[in-house]
Amino acid sequence: MTVDRVQKGATYGEPTPTGVSVAVGWVVMVGVALLAAAMFPPAELPPRAVLMAVAAGAYAALVADLRAVAAVTALATATFVGFLAHRFGELTGGGHAWSYAAVIALAAALGTGYRHMRSIGSPGDGNL
């Protein structure tokens, strides 16, 4: 939304700023991390990683800004490693937790690909 000084009103249709998209995505990822922590015990890393990966993929499928998708995917990976795999936000330690980063990144890439494929065939763009 931008303010037009001549009309003294707001115009819609402008893309969402990257910072807003990252903030919304970050809130979503923190909520999913809390949900994963409540649903699965600390020893069960695969289900926690799958839940974070599904959220990252869904976010990537909904948001067109690739910078926001990359930032939120990185934050989701750091949240998984720091709080769901290790304790107290520790990003160092055993490498087994970082191996799940590929699953989260793959889900985000698939979500981005899905969004791109959906935008190619959308009616009204002349690509049908």
Side-chain angles (χ1 to χ4, degrees):
M1 182 169 85
T2 59
V3 176
D4 186 6
R5 302 259 183 233
V6 176
Q7 294 179 352
K8 303 265 188 214
T11 59
Y12 292 96
E14 295 291 322
T16 305
T18 302
V20 173
S21 296
V22 171
V24 169
W26 179 239
V27 168
V28 168
M29 291 304 151
V30 167
V32 170
L34 290 171
L35 179 67
M39 288 178 61
F40 304 108
E44 293 185 18
L45 290 182
R48 288 178 166 199
V50 166
L51 198 58
M52 292 296 286
V54 167
Y59 178 80
L62 294 174
V63 175
D65 189 356
L66 294 178
R67 294 175 296 178
V69 170
V72 169
T73 302
L75 291 170
T77 302
T79 302
F80 172 78
V81 171
F83 294 103
L84 294 178
H86 297 131
R87 298 188 77 179
F88 307 116
E90 245 182 76
L91 296 177
T92 59
H96 70 284
W98 283 104
S99 63
Y100 292 106
V103 174
I104 297 170
L106 176 66
L110 289 174
T112 302
Y114 171 76
R115 175 161 179 81
H116 178 69
M117 294 300 290
R118 193 178 63 192
S119 69
I120 288 174
S122 64
D125 63 359
N127 288 333
L128 293 176

